[in-house]
Amino acid sequence: MIRVVLVEPEGEYNVGFIARLCRNFDVKELYIVRPKCDLEQAKNFSAKGLEYLSKAKIVNNLNEALQGVDVSLSTSSIADSQGDMLRKSVTPEEAAKAFGDRHVALVFGRESVGLTREEIEMTDFLVHIPATPDYPVLNLSHAVGILLYEFWKLRRKETRPKVSQDSVMLIEKYVRTVYEHVKRSEGDLDMYVALRRVLLRGIQDEEEARAVIRFLRKTYMRLIHEEE
Amino acid sequence: MIRVVLVEPEGEYNVGFIARLCRNFDVKELYIVRPKCDLEQAKNFSAKGLEYLSKAKIVNNLNEALQGVDVSLSTSSIADSQGDMLRKSVTPEEAAKAFGDRHVALVFGRESVGLTREEIEMTDFLVHIPATPDYPVLNLSHAVGILLYEFWKLRRKETRPKVSQDSVMLIEKYVRTVYEHVKRSEGDLDMYVALRRVLLRGIQDEEEARAVIRFLRKTYMRLIHEEE
């Protein structure tokens, strides 16, 4: 199940086209954080996606827009900056393969400046659409279309064994708590980001997830014990 | 080498967005058959794809636009109509895999009525972008974006930096040592096996490996009360 989240979209035509794309690719939810354009005007570009603009959830911040999803993916035309773990990105294909069967929030930034670093940090993964390094900046609605298309392709042929939402949340919880005990400074954040991403990417089934959770929990208990 | 061919495009914004997409995905040629919109207006939507509008070849019929290519693919939101061979379509993925290394013309029809039967007959294959049967009609420029994205994925060589043998051995070493500190019985061995397998499967490059190794090492240090 897919939720499209637009953060402060500025162009009526983009919002309208995105509503149409939501209908084309059977998106379940459209959230808009602090729209900076006229949603009435946007309807002129939404064709048979009109309904999505009428029922879109307008919220005041990204946090609200991420409530209730299993995993959130932010998008950026900048990726893999040297030594910047936060910017380490996955491709739309990898994202669809890993999370296509979950309740996923796809988060898209402003046409002008994209998402802030803080907004990207609020999401679980960063997705980058491969394009020419010479000019990789896609127009907003076209980036949305390509991501929805990749997720749609996967939803047509469901294969991958499921990892439960509970397990995903437990893994995120224990990686975070262990991290809180071993970090020396905020500069260590990249360790946490990297380990969580690697685990969610690498785990193939529920049995494996359970074994990893036991490992993390025992490590956490041991760390707490050491502190007593 | 890709040639984008637009037949009687009607919307300035679509033509502008398509010029931008041509730049994003390094298209070589843009042909426009009998444009029905103002190409000057289109420039407002082309961003850094402006050059493509200036050098676009304006021709009088589709036949001219197909001169010199190895293979031509027409696109349609209608596909696989019963018993209509003309409408038998391939997916963007299949098209890219089959013709990605040839000189290909991707032909797109009018926003209003698409391509005529005659125009489709002039091309070698028909491509249909999978979308909800309920409303599979994509906006023109978004269909172009998805096709160009599929061809670009194939053209770009997937050269991920490999993870070094040193890092692999360090990961195994630290997972093992942390495990030795947290295990309660030999029955816990599966935790160790699972975590090591998941990490080695999930890690994508050296930088990510280094971050995970730092996480494991700091955890190990905390467990044995040592300061780094």
Side-chain angles (χ1 to χ4, degrees):
Chain A
M1 177 163 143
I2 290 176
R3 173 184 304 176
V4 168
V5 178
L6 307 179
V7 177
E8 296 192 344
E10 298 150 352
E12 287 80 13
Y13 49 85
N14 272 330
V15 175
F17 285 138
I18 289 166
R20 178 173 177 172
L21 287 162
C22 287
R23 176 89 187 274
N24 290 143
F25 294 112
D26 192 28
V27 165
K28 283 286 167 285
E29 308 165 312
L30 174 60
Y31 280 59
I32 307 180
V33 180
R34 297 186 302 269
K36 299 302 182 192
C37 61
D38 182 347
L39 298 186
E40 279 307 310
Q41 289 294 320
K43 292 180 176 177
N44 301 328
F45 301 90
S46 62
K48 292 186 178 172
L50 190 62
E51 62 192 275
Y52 279 89
L53 289 177
S54 316
K55 70 183 186 188
K57 283 215 171 65
I58 312 301
V59 296
N60 293 321
N61 57 66
L62 179 54
N63 197 23
E64 278 182 64
L66 298 181
Q67 295 308 309
V69 298
D70 301 338
V71 60
S72 55
L73 310 177
S74 51
T75 53
S76 173
S77 56
I78 309 164
D80 300 339
S81 313
Q82 273 299 55
D84 184 346
M85 289 308 297
L86 206 58
R87 288 288 192 183
K88 290 300 272 182
S89 59
V90 297
T91 67
E93 213 170 353
E94 290 169 336
K97 286 208 174 86
F99 307 115
D101 53 2
R102 311 257 180 78
H103 187 181
V104 183
L106 302 178
V107 183
F108 300 87
R110 306 145 186 89
E111 288 91 335
S112 53
V113 295
L115 293 166
T116 66
R117 219 184 142 76
E118 294 63 34
E119 288 162 346
I120 292 175
E121 283 181 40
M122 291 172 65
T123 64
D124 302 313
F125 286 81
L126 179 67
V127 180
H128 172 67
I129 296 174
T132 179
D134 173 43
Y135 181 48
V137 186
L138 301 184
N139 173 55
L140 172 60
S141 65
H142 295 84
V144 173
I146 286 168
L147 248 74
L148 293 183
Y149 161 77
E150 278 287 9
F151 275 78
W152 175 263
K153 273 201 302 182
L154 201 102
R155 281 148 69 204
R156 287 166 70 229
K157 38 183 178 182
E158 210 29 88
T159 49
R160 200 165 166 284
K162 260 188 179 258
V163 175
S164 74
Q165 177 185 346
D166 284 358
S167 295
V168 171
M169 287 165 60
L170 280 172
I171 286 165
E172 298 197 337
K173 170 189 161 194
Y174 282 119
V175 172
R176 162 66 77 175
T177 47
V178 170
Y179 165 71
E180 294 297 346
H181 280 78
V182 304
K183 73 173 177 182
R184 293 277 195 289
S185 71
E186 292 312 317
D188 288 338
L189 180 67
D190 63 346
M191 302 187 321
Y192 161 69
V193 173
L195 181 60
R196 187 187 52 182
R197 175 175 48 222
V198 167
L199 291 177
L200 290 181
R201 184 192 298 136
I203 290 173
Q204 272 184 342
D205 57 40
E206 187 64 15
E207 184 184 6
E208 219 167 45
R210 292 288 167 194
V212 169
I213 289 165
R214 283 200 358 261
F215 194 123
L216 291 171
R217 191 197 306 113
K218 282 176 184 282
T219 303
Y220 168 62
M221 300 308 268
R222 184 66 199 281
L223 285 169
I224 290 181
H225 172 71
E226 295 297 340
E227 283 177 345
E228 287 162 359
Chain B
M1 177 161 146
I2 291 175
R3 173 185 303 178
V4 169
V5 178
L6 307 179
V7 178
E8 297 191 347
E10 298 151 351
E12 287 79 13
Y13 49 86
N14 272 330
V15 175
F17 285 139
I18 290 166
R20 178 173 178 171
L21 287 162
C22 286
R23 176 89 187 272
N24 289 144
F25 294 113
D26 194 26
V27 164
K28 283 287 168 282
E29 308 165 311
L30 173 60
Y31 280 59
I32 307 180
V33 181
R34 298 184 302 269
K36 298 303 182 190
C37 61
D38 181 347
L39 298 187
E40 280 307 310
Q41 289 294 319
K43 292 180 177 177
N44 300 328
F45 300 90
S46 63
K48 292 187 180 172
L50 190 62
E51 63 194 274
Y52 280 89
L53 289 177
S54 316
K55 71 183 186 189
K57 282 214 171 62
I58 312 301
V59 297
N60 293 320
N61 58 67
L62 178 55
N63 197 21
E64 278 183 66
L66 297 181
Q67 295 309 309
V69 298
D70 301 336
V71 60
S72 56
L73 309 176
S74 52
T75 54
S76 173
S77 56
I78 309 162
D80 301 335
S81 311
Q82 277 298 44
D84 182 349
M85 287 311 295
L86 191 59
R87 289 290 192 183
K88 281 286 172 203
S89 60
V90 297
T91 66
E93 215 171 351
E94 292 166 337
K97 285 206 173 85
F99 310 115
D101 54 358
R102 312 276 291 283
H103 188 180
V104 184
L106 302 177
V107 183
F108 300 87
R110 306 149 187 84
E111 289 91 333
S112 53
V113 295
L115 294 166
T116 66
R117 245 187 112 78
E118 294 63 35
E119 287 162 346
I120 293 175
E121 284 175 18
M122 291 172 65
T123 65
D124 302 312
F125 290 85
L126 178 68
V127 180
H128 172 68
I129 296 173
T132 179
D134 173 43
Y135 181 48
V137 186
L138 301 184
N139 173 56
L140 171 60
S141 66
H142 294 83
V144 172
I146 287 168
L147 258 296
L148 293 183
Y149 161 76
E150 277 290 6
F151 275 79
W152 173 266
K153 271 200 302 183
L154 203 98
R155 279 151 65 208
R156 105 190 217 271
K157 291 275 164 289
E158 185 59 69
T159 53
R160 272 234 171 69
K162 281 291 296 168
V163 177
S164 72
Q165 196 53 40
D166 283 359
S167 295
V168 171
M169 287 165 64
L170 279 172
I171 286 166
E172 295 192 337
K173 169 192 164 191
Y174 282 118
V175 172
R176 162 66 75 173
T177 48
V178 169
Y179 166 70
E180 294 297 347
H181 278 79
V182 303
K183 74 173 179 181
R184 290 279 187 280
S185 71
E186 291 312 318
D188 288 339
L189 185 65
D190 63 339
M191 301 187 321
Y192 160 69
V193 173
L195 181 60
R196 187 185 56 180
R197 181 175 55 219
V198 167
L199 290 178
L200 295 183
R201 184 192 300 135
I203 289 174
Q204 277 185 341
D205 57 39
E206 188 63 17
E207 186 180 8
E208 213 167 51
R210 294 284 172 197
V212 169
I213 289 166
R214 283 204 351 265
F215 195 123
L216 293 170
R217 192 178 62 242
K218 281 177 186 282
T219 303
Y220 169 65
M221 292 302 184
R222 277 287 279 107
L223 286 170
I224 62 174
H225 301 304
E226 285 181 11
E227 288 311 315
E228 281 178 287

